Amino acid sequence: MQELDPSVLQKVNTWLQGNYDADVKQQIQKLLDDKAYTELTDSFYRDLEFGTGGLRGIMGPGSNRVNKYTIGTATQGLANYLKKTYPGEKIKVAIAHDSRNNADFLATTTAEVFSANGIHVYYFEALRPTPELSFAVRHLGCKSGVMLTASHNPKEYNGYKAYGDDGGQFVAPHDKAVMDEVAAISSIDDVKFNRVDENIEVIGKDIDELYLAEITKLSVSPEAIKRQKDLKIVYSPIHGTGITLTPKALELFGFENVILVDEQTTPDGNFPTVVYPNPEEKEALTLALKKAQEVDADLVLATDPDADRVGIAVKNTENEFILLNGNQTGSMLINYLLTAWQDKGKLTGKEYIVKTIVTSNLIEAIAKAKNVTYYNTLTGFKYIGELMTQLQGKQTFIGGGEESYGYLVGELVRDKDAVVSSAFIAEMTAYYKDKGSSLFEALIDTYVQYGFYKEKLISITKKGKTGAEEIKAMMEKFRTNPPATLGGSKVITLKDYEKRVETDLNTNTTKAIELPTSDVLQFITEDGSIISARPSGTEPKIKFYCSVNGKLANKEAYKETDQQLEAKIDSIMQDLGV
């Protein structure tokens, strides 16, 4: 008969005997009585940790779950870190939450703990997008900020994104310092839960208006929008926070024909019309696509629950709606921005763009051709934000993004921003329509000009403690025994970002990787294919990113070349055994 691991049982008993609410103890006791040992193990085998996206997990009782106590402990740790980092200063923080179940309760808990620690809290009156929280941190001169969200995860999840004084998520060494402070809290009795009302200030509309006004100033092609103001845009917030600002941003940019997906406009943490509230999933856009067909839309936009990611659909040459992936949208956005800046004579040689190491190298090819500096960062938008802060005042950030549907235009925030991205994707669509081209045709033109880059992401889910161990074993296997060939092409370079070493497999020589350590492996083949293996920092998954490329002779060759590159990706994935 299965028994509980002694370390797990010890944690369970700590919660049963400690200063926790009676209903929480009741839930835990029921799991014990029912001998639900797998669930108890997953709930208590570790403490929730900050990953690439902060703290994220399934809601419920336990140290490895999101609840009042894990959120309270994280906040107390963050409060202790802030007080040590800014001794004698008046510390201010901003707090917001999305539409998830319990998000307002968890945001209130966060505000109460900060207030009990003598920290001044700017508390958003109701749900707001993640990027607005980043903007508020910067605008209000806060030392930190917290967003209660689990982004695009299923409804069972919630989470906690912690921000530094630049409006970006914490990076090394600060993230580790916060984690150390959280780990140092040995008892729930060390967490101050008693609210101090005078330390909590409610904010809302004033920040909304300022943020939207600043976004609108960034517009590069207002004259194209003026001529294409009737562009038909279908928009869905997928039951999330996007509804609070995205339609208004589109209106302020000058778009007069925005059609909402009514069934998905009401914020709802159960996300009743979708399986996953993730614009990366075609299923999440089903209703938006249906509406687009009804009204013959030019563009479909859908944002995730905290409105930091946006998915889009456009019409292809056969007049069918197709979804663009994150690499395609990101590449198009960067190409548009650089072209529009060039058109206006705004490129001075001091501008730059940023992408992550697993995002399409098409972006790199475009930047090189236009003589604009580009940077690669580790996966996770916090690294893009960190670079922006380092370069502030020295170079001008035009835009950046990552393949996971997160983009940013302008320097107002330090996180991915679906509000500003939606406005600019609409502006880009108007710009190309003004020139007699659809967005899809402009994408094909981009491939003809810079090369046809095709990417695919394969995610393998491995849940719980055993899943984490399996993922670790897979990475170890790839590290010690890298594939010799992939898709019929020799693997010539191995980049190990954990060891920060790049190995030339032809000469067996190595050189250092000048990026922070991260559990990522990249295989680069002779024909320029790049395959990356990376365990997710926020979900129980291992992700394989595959990028292949070839020449596209002309528009007519698109379908055939697309099929050839797809076959190549399939062959590579087969070789990897995934």
Side-chain angles (χ1 to χ4, degrees):
M1 185 186 166
Q2 186 193 5
E3 289 295 333
L4 270 183
D5 183 282
S7 64
V8 171
L9 186 59
Q10 189 182 344
K11 275 195 172 178
V12 168
N13 285 330
T14 301
W15 279 57
L16 286 174
Q17 292 154 22
N19 199 6
Y20 296 84
D21 291 346
D23 65 324
V24 168
K25 291 182 180 181
Q26 213 173 341
Q27 289 173 58
I28 297 167
Q29 189 59 54
K30 187 176 187 319
L31 289 172
L32 265 178
D33 294 344
D34 294 347
K35 295 188 167 50
Y37 294 151
T38 303
E39 193 173 336
L40 276 169
T41 299
D42 285 348
S43 299
F44 285 96
Y45 82 93
R46 62 171 193 159
D47 293 338
L48 273 182
E49 287 179 6
F50 280 79
T52 55
L55 196 71
R56 198 183 294 184
I58 292 168
M59 290 180 275
S63 61
N64 189 36
R65 293 286 185 255
V66 169
N67 50 59
K68 172 184 172 179
Y69 301 103
T70 53
I71 292 296
T73 302
T75 305
Q76 185 64 54
L78 179 51
N80 292 348
Y81 161 83
L82 291 169
K83 287 162 90 169
K84 283 182 185 174
T85 307
Y86 304 104
E89 291 185 49
K90 184 185 178 184
I91 300 169
K92 299 182 287 185
V93 301
I95 298 172
H97 68 81
D98 71 4
S99 60
R100 285 184 175 269
N101 294 331
N102 301 318
D104 53 351
F105 166 72
L106 295 171
T108 301
T109 300
T110 304
E112 288 169 349
V113 174
F114 276 132
S115 74
N117 280 276
I119 291 170
H120 187 86
V121 177
Y122 292 108
Y123 186 82
F124 273 99
E125 61 190 358
L127 77 168
R128 288 297 190 279
T130 287
E132 188 178 8
L133 185 273
S134 175
F135 175 82
V137 168
R138 294 169 60 74
H139 174 70
L140 296 167
C142 296
K143 299 299 186 195
S144 182
V146 173
M147 180 73 193
L148 281 299
T149 177
S151 190
H152 57 288
N153 278 51
K155 65 182 179 183
E156 296 80 16
Y157 284 76
N158 217 318
Y160 182 103
K161 285 183 181 177
Y163 291 80
D165 61 354
D166 67 342
Q169 289 180 56
F170 282 112
V171 292
H174 312 291
D175 54 355
K176 177 77 166 67
V178 175
M179 283 166 66
D180 288 347
E181 288 294 343
V182 176
I185 295 168
S186 57
S187 162
I188 199 64
D189 299 331
D190 297 337
V191 180
K192 298 174 183 173
F193 283 106
N194 295 326
R195 178 190 185 101
V196 177
D197 282 331
E198 57 266 34
N199 288 340
I200 299 177
E201 182 180 338
V202 176
I203 58 171
K205 201 177 171 195
D206 290 354
I207 302 294
D208 297 345
E209 287 173 357
L210 191 64
Y211 171 65
L212 287 166
E214 291 298 320
I215 282 176
T216 311
K217 287 180 198 169
L218 297 172
S219 175
V220 198
S221 304
E223 62 294 328
I225 295 173
K226 206 168 264 185
R227 289 189 288 270
Q228 303 296 335
K229 63 184 181 183
D230 289 330
L231 190 82
K232 280 187 197 162
I233 302 165
V234 166
Y235 170 64
S236 171
I238 316 181
H239 304 290
T241 62
I243 194 65
T244 61
L245 294 179
T246 308
K248 190 70 185 164
L250 291 165
E251 183 193 320
L252 289 170
F253 261 60
F255 294 103
E256 296 179 3
N257 200 359
V258 178
I259 301 136
L260 300 178
V261 179
D262 294 332
E263 303 95 321
Q264 297 180 327
T265 54
T266 305
D268 188 335
N270 291 316
F271 311 114
T273 63
V274 295
V275 178
Y276 297 111
N278 183 357
E280 292 182 62
E281 306 276 350
K282 187 175 183 180
E283 181 273 331
L285 274 78
T286 303
L287 290 173
L289 290 168
K290 185 169 172 267
K291 177 71 80 176
Q293 278 153 357
E294 281 169 22
V295 302
D296 191 31
D298 294 287
L299 174 67
V300 177
L301 296 165
T303 54
D304 70 344
D306 67 323
D308 63 353
R309 298 168 193 253
V310 56
I312 79 169
V314 296
K315 277 188 288 192
N316 66 11
T317 44
E318 275 86 50
N319 225 28
E320 305 160 327
F321 280 98
I322 60 155
L323 271 60
L324 297 193
N325 65 37
N327 285 300
Q328 290 171 318
T329 303
S331 299
M332 288 299 292
L333 198 50
I334 294 298
N335 191 31
Y336 160 67
L337 287 166
L338 297 189
T339 304
W341 276 57
Q342 210 169 31
D343 288 353
K344 294 280 168 78
K346 288 176 71 175
L347 292 180
T348 65
K350 285 196 166 182
E351 294 75 25
Y352 71 98
I353 57 111
V354 195
K355 72 174 194 68
T356 66
I357 56 172
V358 296
T359 302
S360 179
N361 276 359
L362 175 55
I363 291 173
E364 217 166 273
I366 293 164
K368 275 182 184 170
K370 294 192 183 294
N371 229 359
V372 172
T373 305
Y374 66 89
Y375 296 96
N376 277 311
T377 70
L378 291 176
T379 310
F381 218 92
K382 63 181 183 178
Y383 297 111
I384 294 178
E386 178 187 30
L387 183 69
M388 288 172 69
T389 296
Q390 287 166 359
L391 296 175
Q392 193 172 337
K394 300 170 196 159
Q395 294 180 45
T396 303
F397 173 80
I398 293 180
E402 54 187 3
E403 51 68 47
S404 56
Y405 292 56
Y407 324 103
L408 178 61
V409 180
E411 303 195 48
L412 297 173
V413 306
R414 292 286 182 274
D415 207 343
K416 48 190 178 283
D417 186 341
V419 180
V420 74
S421 300
S422 294
F424 269 92
I425 289 163
E427 177 174 295
M428 165 171 75
T429 308
Y431 173 89
Y432 287 118
K433 190 171 185 183
D434 205 42
K435 293 184 181 300
S437 170
S438 70
L439 207 53
F440 182 78
E441 287 165 332
L443 175 66
I444 308 304
D445 288 337
T446 306
Y447 288 152
V448 171
Q449 190 173 355
Y450 301 107
F452 193 162
Y453 288 75
K454 189 173 177 71
E455 287 82 21
K456 195 168 191 176
L457 168 64
I458 309 283
S459 284
I460 299 170
T461 301
K462 302 271 187 185
K463 290 186 177 176
K465 186 170 184 277
T466 53
E469 286 161 1
E470 283 174 45
I471 288 170
K472 200 175 174 186
M474 284 171 89
M475 288 299 286
E476 193 50 45
K477 183 186 143 201
F478 283 127
R479 261 195 183 90
T480 53
N481 192 18
T485 62
L486 287 169
S489 183
K490 188 180 176 190
V491 177
I492 56 168
T493 307
L494 171 64
K495 291 186 177 184
D496 188 333
Y497 289 87
E498 189 167 75
K499 295 176 180 170
R500 298 171 76 199
V501 171
E502 178 181 325
T503 306
D504 181 324
L505 298 173
N506 282 334
T507 60
N508 210 23
T509 54
T510 61
K511 64 177 180 182
I513 292 173
E514 302 297 330
L515 283 172
T517 182
S518 182
D519 191 9
V520 181
L521 286 172
Q522 275 187 333
F523 309 111
I524 302 168
T525 66
E526 216 154 27
D527 64 3
S529 299
I530 302 174
I531 300 88
S532 311
R534 172 185 165 262
S536 169
T538 54
E539 298 169 277
K541 290 178 177 178
I542 181 166
K543 297 182 176 184
F544 295 91
Y545 306 79
C546 186
S547 175
V548 298
N549 64 85
K551 279 190 167 57
L552 183 59
N554 50 50
K555 283 184 177 185
E556 292 67 39
Y558 169 74
K559 274 192 173 171
E560 190 187 341
T561 310
D562 185 51
Q563 284 166 358
Q564 288 166 358
L565 293 175
E566 185 70 37
K568 194 176 189 178
I569 288 173
D570 290 344
S571 169
I572 286 169
M573 289 304 176
Q574 216 170 347
D575 289 346
L576 276 175
V578 298

